């Protein structure tokens, strides 16, 4: 089980979700969200699409602006 803090920066959440997807792909597995149901990789990708839509550089810029505020 791995978890990420709600207050984590966008760049960290993006990396976390991408790593969860990578682990599931490599093990042909599923992912459990919010202590609820096990979902497919495609369903999980849809669930976190707002984090995955950014490139690394975009996520860094947004995260930097979150910290500076």
């Amino acid at each position: 089980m791995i978890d990420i803090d709600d207050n984590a920066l966008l760049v960290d959440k993006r990396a976390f979700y991408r790593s969860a997807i990578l682990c599931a792909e490599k093990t042909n597995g599923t992912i459990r969200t919010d202590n609820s149901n096990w979902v497919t990789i495609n369903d999980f990708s849809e669930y976190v699409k707002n984090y995955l839509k950014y490139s690394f550089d975009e996520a860094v810029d947004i995260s930097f602006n979150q910290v500076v505020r």
Side-chain angles (χ1 to χ4, degrees), residues 9-65:
L9 297 172
L10 173 68
V11 70
D12 297 325
K13 288 180 180 180
R14 179 185 174 276
F16 174 80
Y17 294 136
R18 287 178 55 92
S19 65
I21 291 168
L22 179 64
C23 289
E25 287 173 343
K26 295 295 182 184
T27 61
N28 198 25
T30 55
I31 302 169
R32 188 171 180 175
T33 60
D34 299 331
N35 293 325
S36 59
N37 298 322
W38 291 93
V39 296
T40 65
I41 296 167
N42 288 337
D43 289 342
F44 182 75
S45 295
E46 180 66 25
Y47 179 73
V48 298
K49 69 181 177 185
N50 289 332
Y51 299 99
L52 302 178
K53 68 181 179 182
Y54 298 104
S55 69
F56 175 75
D57 290 337
E58 291 170 325
V60 168
D61 287 341
I62 292 168
S63 296
F64 179 74
N65 289 328

